[in-house]
Each structure stands twice: as structure tokens, then as C-alpha cells.
Amino acid sequence: MTITKLLAGAALALGLAGAAGAADDKTRVGFIYVGPIGDGGYTFEHNQGRLAVEEHFGDKVETVYRESVPEGADAERAITEMALKGADLIFTTSFGFMDATIAVAKKFPEVKFEHATGYKTAPNVSTYSARFYEGRAVQGLIAGRMTKSNIVGYIASYPIPEVIRGINAAFIHARKANPDVEFKIVWAYTWFDPAKEADAAQALIEQGADVILQHTDSTAPHAAAEKAGGIATFGQASDMAEYAPFPRVSSIIDNWAPYYIARTQAVMDGTWQSHEVWQGIGDGMVEIGEITDAVPADVKADALALTAAIGSGAYHPFTGPLRRQDGSGWLAAGEVADDPTLLGMDFFVEGLTGEIPQ
Amino acid sequence: MLRLERRPQPSRLWACATPPLAVAITMIAGTALFAALGKDPVAALRTIFWEPLFGEFAFYYRPQMLQKGAPLILIAIGLSLGFRAGIWNIGAEGQYIAGALAGAGVGLAFYPLDAWYIFPLMVAAGALGGWAWAMIPALLKIRFGTNEILVSLMLVYVAEQLLAQMSLGTLKNPEGMGFPGSRNLQDYAAAHNAEIVAGTGIHWGVVAALISVIWAHVLLQHHILGFHVRLAGQAPRAARFAGVRPSRMVLFCLGTAGALAGLAGMFEVSGPSGQIGIDFNVGYGFTAIIVAFLGRLSPLGILLAGMLMALTYIGGEIAQSDLSLPAAAIRVFQGMLLFFLLAVDLLTNYRLRPRVAEAAR
């Protein structure tokens, strides 16, 4: 027997074993991540969701994941590979995977797909996203009350609606709490780059910011703030509790676990249907991490009250009267922003300085 | 103890033997790496090198290898000419971006017109875009004597900024709800670099890569220009006596490399990738440097090296999902390949001798 034949035989045996593995009644759930699972932020939380699915269903599910997947052709291959290998449900957890998800979904009509933060759906593709701006409003309130220099720094990633919405929500509530507050914004053009994020934090601190908000995923800004001293920060995507009680005074936590469990259950029950969901504090997809004792008690009480009001639906963070940055009207008194406007938000609200890069 | 002794002539035997040897050492070191990570090293190596070619899903992976290998080969062929002539273009990644932007820009300018000439125009624009980007370090070098390594490398970061700006501004999809990224060219038939035969993975970029290999081979073996390229690298003084003008050589080598990298970017954006986005470039321009050296700067060697690199990419991805190997481990594995290649390359120019003789002297 030649070596080739031997190897071919071994490969065939392994292939059959693989096929047998796929044929049992386990539900296979795949996850495509944009960053490394150890980023301590965005991808970390998605992976926590995956682990929660495993824990909840035990032997009834098998999960697979791929981390640090680049956008474009590589993403398409990664998703195709999971579908080929018998995944029943695939979560693609970053906006950049949108077209790849749609393309693969066309080829695998039996497989269900869930794309995070996008806007394209298909009969077997759902979209899901979190109303992070609800958490930003609470952060804005705390930031506005805590700043002594009246300068709040903001590390923004890319000038896309998601990020602009967060800046607006935070600013509106910071101004409400403190009419003298100013925002300084640095565009980092990255979701995860500890070195760049640390530089951005340093630049903001030098410009006088004593509270820093971030829409990037690493803990580097916290480390920079800790080094500088007296600068408050907020955890992003994940709790980042290792920097509590100070500089990290609170956080926005993305809690994907309930959604991932519910959608896996739906696939098991055969009740899965394509939908578009956008869930916030009320649904538990957005959580406010512990507000530490570094925050004055009355500020903490107000922040918790705001969280409760948003969660119950009694208050919407974008409630008029609100004007656009150029002074033109947007929302009349008592009017609440509609979802399409929020989803495509490409303007700053009145009072913010600087321009959105184009 | 051993000492190194310079060979009077570079060893032909070792020049051919070092790439396979480097691959072999990488496999051994990889075995140690995977074992240290608590994975079965045999399974890991089998997954990386066997699964894409002969595994259960090889029908899907083989075409993917062509698509992954084509841009690497196309770029590496261009780079190899310069590297042979002693002109160090490290900025192919930027030229790749410039070509993609130019090609996609021309295609999108015609949207939604359906005409046969759109795709050929995009090809020309892609090559021109990459060429123009490479002309910046070339002209600066000729005119002011700047270092092309630094200038071409720095221009990568400039190109990345330009890419971000285009994704967020000029080329942004008007129907994209304000999100960054251009229209998807896969949905625009006249501009789509589709597979020539469905399911084979062969698109025009793969064809172009093959043509470039043949072209470079003929150029280097049978054309006076190819002789000058080799001469300029091996004996710059002799080259000058032979009438080779250094500035022309710079223009030719950087220009060719830029045009080929631009073509690679254009075929990628109009085909497998589909759209201009902030993170469009995934490092082909840098990986192609490894491919060029792994292939001994010879066209046929680059063809093989490009496919080997594509294999480790695809196989590495499979190992990630099947064996839960971290993405970083695969990158380390690929990095080791270049590291060991450069290390064993020493044997081409030097030989090992026992140290005894020197001590006695």
C-alpha cells in the first residue's frame, strides 16, 4: 500500500467520523468574531454569550467559533466553512460581515443566520443589535456631574450612526446635568487597538478632560487614566471591573446571552423566523455595570433613576426639544426620535463642537 | 565550536534546498508550538496541510486557495523584480489599496450602466492607480535620493487613511444608511470580477497571476531588460558600464511592482471582497514579501510559494475552527516560515567549519 493510499484511507475514515458527528441531533451553533476573544470588550462579551449557550443547553448543542476574522472574502469563507460543516445557526457578530452573511445565506437556505448591527435581512437572516445609546445617556449624566474641568473626553471609533448616536446621547444628558460641560472628541478609526486608544486618552487628558468615555473596546484608556490620576473612565462593551472602583466608575455591558439562548431554542423548536430586533436596557441586552463609590451618592441615585426610567420605557434618551448642531430644529418638545432616524443618524445635536469627519 | 566561512560562490545546492528545509523546520517548530498550546500537533499539521487539499471539503477549499494565492503571487512577482535589482519596495500594501480604489472608483462612476467596456477600464485604472502610487517613492528616490524603503512603507499608512476617507465619503454607498463602505460590486454585473467557470475559483485575477509568472520568467531568462535587472542587483558597477541607467531601473521596478499590486487590489475589490471598506486591505502586500523570498525571487518559485502560503492561510483557518487554535498561533506559524527561511539562507552564502583551526593560529 502506498503512503498516499494510506493517508487517503485515514482521511476518509476521519471524514466519515466527522459526518457521523454532524448527523447526531445536536444543534450546531457557530460564531464569527471580529476581534480576539481575549479583547476584554466587544468580542469577549459575544464569547460569553456563546459560553452561556453551551452552559444552558449542555449536550444538546455544540458551538464553534472563529476569532479575528477580517471583513470581506475571508469572512465569507469563514461563514461558508461553518455552514458546510453542518452549523444550524450562525451568529456573525460585526457590522462588516453584513454582505458576506447575506451572500452565504443565499447558498445555504436551510441554515439560519443572525447578523449583529446590520440592516440587510433575508428569509434566513435576522439582524439584532443593542440600544447602546441608552447606556450612553446614563454615562453622560454621571460624566456631566463628575467633571470638575467641565471637559469630557470621548474616544470615538468610526463616524458611523452607531457611534454618533452614542456621542449625542451622552452629550444631551451631560448638558442636562451640567450646562457648562464641553465634549472633546478624538476619532481613533479603530475598534480595538490598545496603543492608539492609549494615545487618544493621553491627548484628551492633555486637553484638560477629567472624564473619558470610550467607544473602543480595549482597556488601554483606563490604564492611561490610572497613570494620569484623577481621571474617571467607563467600561465599554464589557464591565472592565479590574479598573474599579477608580478610574472605572461604571460601564456599559453588552449582554448577548439571553438573546443567543432564545434564538438557539427557536432553532431547536423549529420556530425560528427572520426578524430585526433592537433591544435595550429594558430587555437586558444593555446593562449598566456597577456604579462605584467613587461616584457621589446623589449622582449615583440619579443615574440609577435614569436607568430605571429608560428601562421601563417611561423615558426615551432622545426626547425633544432638541436641535441639530447647525441650529435647525429636530424634535419638538416632548417628541421622541423614531428608530429610522436613530439608525441612520449622521448629525450632531446642538452644543457639540467639531465636525463629523467625512 | 563552529564558525562561519564565506563561500567563494553562493551554493546552488543550498539555494534550492533552503526553502524546503525552512518548511521542514517550521513544521517541527510548529509541532512544538501546537503541543505547548495543548493541541495534538499531528492533527494540527494534518489540518493545515492536508485538509484544504484532500479533506472532506476540499471541493470548496481548493478554489479558495486559488483566490487567496492569486493576489500574493501577482504582488510578489512585481516585488521580486525590484528585490533582484536591489530596489526595496516595502509598500505594496499601499499600491494594492491605490489600485483597488482606482479600479472600484472607475466601476462605481459608471453605475448602473451595463456595458462591456467597464471591466477592462477598471483593470486599466487598477494598474494605473498602483503604478501612480509607486511612482511617488520612485520619483523621490531619483530626484532627491530618498530611501524607497521608508517612503514606500510610510505611503501604506497614507493609503489606509485615503481608504478610510473614501469608505466614509466619496465612494460611500448612497443606499448604505450612513454606514461606511461602497456599493458591493458583486451586485453590479458589469463591474463584477466573477469566476470565469463557476465553482473553480478561477477569476480574472488568477489568470492575471499566471500570466505575470510566465511574463516574468520570459523577461528574466530571455530579455535584455531582465538581464539588466539581475545585473543591477548582482554587480551595480558592472551594470553601469553595461549601460544600465539606475534611475530607469528604479522607475521600471517600482512601476511594475506598483502596477501588479494595483491589479491585485482591483481584482480583489471587484471579486472576492466586493466592496471598498475601511478594513479592505488584509495584508497581502506584506505577506507577498515573504512569498517573494520563499520563492527565491524566481517566478516559478513564487508560484509555488504563493500556493503554499495560501495553503497555510486556508489550513490555518480550518485549524482555528476545528481545533480551536487561537488566530495568533497561526500567525506565529506563518511568521516562523520567513524567520527560518532567512536563518537557513545563511547556508547559501556561508558554510560551517569547525573552529579548531582558528584557535591554533
Side-chain angles (χ1 to χ4, degrees):
Chain A
M1 191 187 257
T2 63
I3 291 224
T4 331
K5 272 194 186 152
L6 196 71
L7 286 172
L12 191 66
L14 277 164
L16 288 175
D24 63 22
D25 54 359
K26 275 187 183 180
T27 303
R28 285 174 68 94
V29 188
F31 295 82
I32 305 279
Y33 303 137
V34 70
I37 56 172
D39 69 354
Y42 186 77
T43 294
F44 175 80
E45 285 300 325
H46 281 288
N47 198 48
Q48 292 300 109
R50 179 183 72 87
L51 295 173
V53 169
E54 278 195 339
E55 196 181 336
H56 183 86
F57 293 104
D59 288 344
K60 286 193 287 180
V61 296
E62 188 182 341
T63 66
V64 284
Y65 72 91
R66 276 274 294 283
E67 59 177 344
S68 301
V69 176
E71 293 169 12
D74 291 312
E76 193 168 331
R77 181 166 53 251
I79 304 167
T80 305
E81 194 190 314
M82 278 188 184
L84 272 178
K85 292 192 172 162
D88 301 296
L89 173 65
I90 298 174
F91 293 94
T92 56
T93 63
S94 176
F95 172 75
F97 301 148
M98 179 166 68
D99 284 18
T101 305
I102 297 289
V104 179
K106 256 185 227 163
K107 292 182 208 152
F108 295 90
E110 298 303 311
V111 181
K112 313 294 184 224
F113 295 85
E114 297 265 351
H115 177 235
T117 72
Y119 57 84
K120 290 186 184 171
T121 58
N124 59 336
V125 182
S126 286
T127 58
Y128 63 101
S129 186
R131 294 178 186 270
F132 302 116
Y133 67 86
E134 296 184 348
R136 293 280 167 204
V138 179
Q139 283 189 351
L141 182 149
I142 299 172
R145 296 273 287 273
M146 283 196 72
T147 177
K148 294 189 181 70
S149 64
N150 286 331
I151 297 171
V152 172
Y154 203 111
I155 305 173
S157 44
Y158 294 105
I160 62 172
E162 155 89 37
V163 177
I164 295 166
R165 213 158 48 225
I167 296 171
N168 283 334
F171 179 73
I172 291 166
H173 295 85
R175 264 283 161 95
K176 250 185 208 167
N178 172 0
D180 296 323
V181 80
E182 298 282 342
F183 269 32
K184 290 215 188 296
I185 301 163
V186 169
W187 298 95
Y189 288 98
T190 179
W191 291 113
F192 179 78
D193 186 333
K196 268 192 196 169
E197 292 172 51
D199 283 351
Q202 195 54 45
L204 290 167
I205 292 167
E206 279 164 15
Q207 289 177 50
D210 61 354
V211 180
I212 291 179
L213 275 56
Q214 67 182 88
H215 203 136
T216 49
D217 299 339
S218 90
T219 54
H222 301 265
E226 192 169 49
K227 211 173 108 199
I231 314 286
T233 57
F234 294 84
Q236 157 69 9
S238 185
D239 198 30
M240 304 190 174
E242 63 270 31
Y243 287 96
F246 199 82
R248 173 228 169 268
V249 294
S250 181
S251 63
I252 298 178
I253 306 172
D254 312 350
N255 182 8
W256 307 103
Y259 184 74
Y260 288 169
I261 291 170
R263 298 306 276 170
T264 306
Q265 186 68 53
V267 167
M268 286 176 172
D269 299 345
T271 57
W272 189 97
Q273 279 191 321
S274 172
H275 67 193
E276 297 168 62
V277 295
W278 200 16
Q279 298 182 342
I281 291 175
D283 305 290
M285 199 179 263
V286 177
E287 288 177 358
I288 303 297
E290 190 218 344
I291 301 171
T292 65
D293 291 339
V295 178
D298 58 325
V299 178
K300 180 173 176 176
D302 288 353
L304 290 176
L306 179 61
T307 310
I310 294 172
S312 69
Y315 173 72
H316 190 292
F318 290 102
T319 304
L322 285 174
R323 288 174 176 280
R324 292 169 198 254
Q325 190 183 31
D326 60 13
S328 63
W330 175 33
L331 297 173
E335 195 185 348
V336 167
D338 56 10
D339 280 356
T341 310
L342 290 180
L343 283 168
M345 193 170 239
D346 58 357
F347 59 89
F348 278 157
V349 293
E350 191 176 49
L352 276 167
T353 49
E355 279 179 23
I356 299 171
Q358 279 301 327
Chain B
M1 277 297 285
L2 293 171
R3 71 192 174 86
L4 288 169
E5 185 184 272
R6 197 179 180 95
R7 294 177 192 274
Q9 290 273 310
S11 160
R12 280 184 168 261
L13 172 72
W14 277 109
C16 297
T18 47
L21 183 65
V23 172
I25 300 178
T26 307
M27 282 193 171
I28 295 167
T31 303
L33 172 74
F34 298 139
L37 287 167
K39 310 287 176 191
D40 177 2
V42 180
L45 287 178
R46 203 195 68 90
T47 307
I48 295 173
F49 290 101
W50 178 267
E51 199 72 14
L53 289 173
F54 307 107
E56 189 187 358
F57 300 106
F59 67 90
Y60 176 70
Y61 293 129
R62 282 187 213 143
Q64 290 292 314
M65 270 180 61
L66 289 181
Q67 299 203 345
K68 197 85 191 169
L72 290 174
I73 294 167
L74 205 50
I75 300 171
I77 288 285
L79 292 179
S80 69
L81 294 178
F83 292 168
R84 269 171 181 266
I87 295 158
W88 303 99
N89 175 9
I90 305 298
E93 185 83 353
Q95 294 141 25
Y96 171 87
I97 294 173
L101 285 174
V106 166
L108 291 167
F110 282 107
Y111 185 87
L113 181 74
D114 184 23
W116 64 267
Y117 54 80
I118 294 174
F119 191 68
L121 276 178
M122 289 167 66
V123 174
L128 205 62
W131 174 84
W133 204 253
M135 276 304 108
I136 303 173
L139 294 174
L140 287 175
K141 184 180 175 67
I142 293 170
R143 186 73 184 79
F144 301 108
T146 56
N147 181 325
E148 77 277 16
I149 300 178
L150 289 175
V151 177
S152 63
L153 180 62
M154 290 302 132
L155 279 169
V156 173
Y157 305 108
V158 178
E160 281 179 345
Q161 294 299 320
L162 189 66
L163 176 72
Q165 197 204 5
M166 287 291 167
S167 314
L168 294 163
T170 317
L171 294 182
K172 187 165 81 175
N173 182 358
E175 289 154 18
M177 320 264 296
F179 285 93
S182 72
R183 282 182 200 277
N184 199 317
L185 295 169
Q186 289 171 356
D187 302 329
Y188 177 25
H192 183 197
N193 172 25
E195 289 179 331
I196 298 169
V197 182
T200 58
I202 299 174
H203 59 64
W204 288 109
V206 179
V207 176
L210 281 176
I211 294 174
S212 75
V213 169
I214 298 166
W215 171 80
H217 181 78
V218 172
L219 178 83
L220 288 170
Q221 299 299 327
H222 304 289
H223 196 280
I224 183 75
L225 189 57
F227 172 71
H228 284 168
V229 167
R230 286 186 290 153
L231 194 63
Q234 286 165 2
R237 262 173 66 82
R240 225 164 307 147
F241 287 125
V244 179
R245 297 238 303 271
S247 57
R248 275 195 150 174
M249 200 45 77
V250 169
L251 285 176
F252 171 73
C253 290
L254 275 166
T256 311
L260 289 180
L263 276 178
M266 179 273 152
F267 286 125
E268 187 70 16
V269 74
S270 57
S273 169
Q275 64 184 145
I276 291 287
I278 292 166
D279 296 317
F280 162 72
N281 59 313
V282 291
Y284 283 124
F286 293 118
T287 311
I289 299 173
I290 305 182
V291 170
F293 280 104
L294 195 60
R296 308 266 67 174
L297 304 182
S298 97
L300 298 177
I302 286 170
L303 181 67
L304 292 176
M307 293 319 293
L308 177 71
M309 212 60 187
L311 180 69
T312 64
Y313 266 116
I314 307 274
E317 288 177 3
I318 304 172
Q320 266 191 62
S321 33
D322 283 10
L323 306 172
S324 304
L325 269 176
I330 301 298
R331 301 228 180 96
V332 170
F333 185 74
Q334 287 176 332
M336 285 196 303
L337 193 57
L338 180 67
F339 177 80
F340 286 124
L341 182 78
L342 293 175
V344 293
D345 232 13
L346 196 75
L347 296 173
T348 311
N349 289 315
Y350 294 87
R351 65 182 139 213
L352 293 170
R353 279 287 164 88
R355 188 149 241 178
V356 201
E358 197 179 36
R361 214 183 288 165

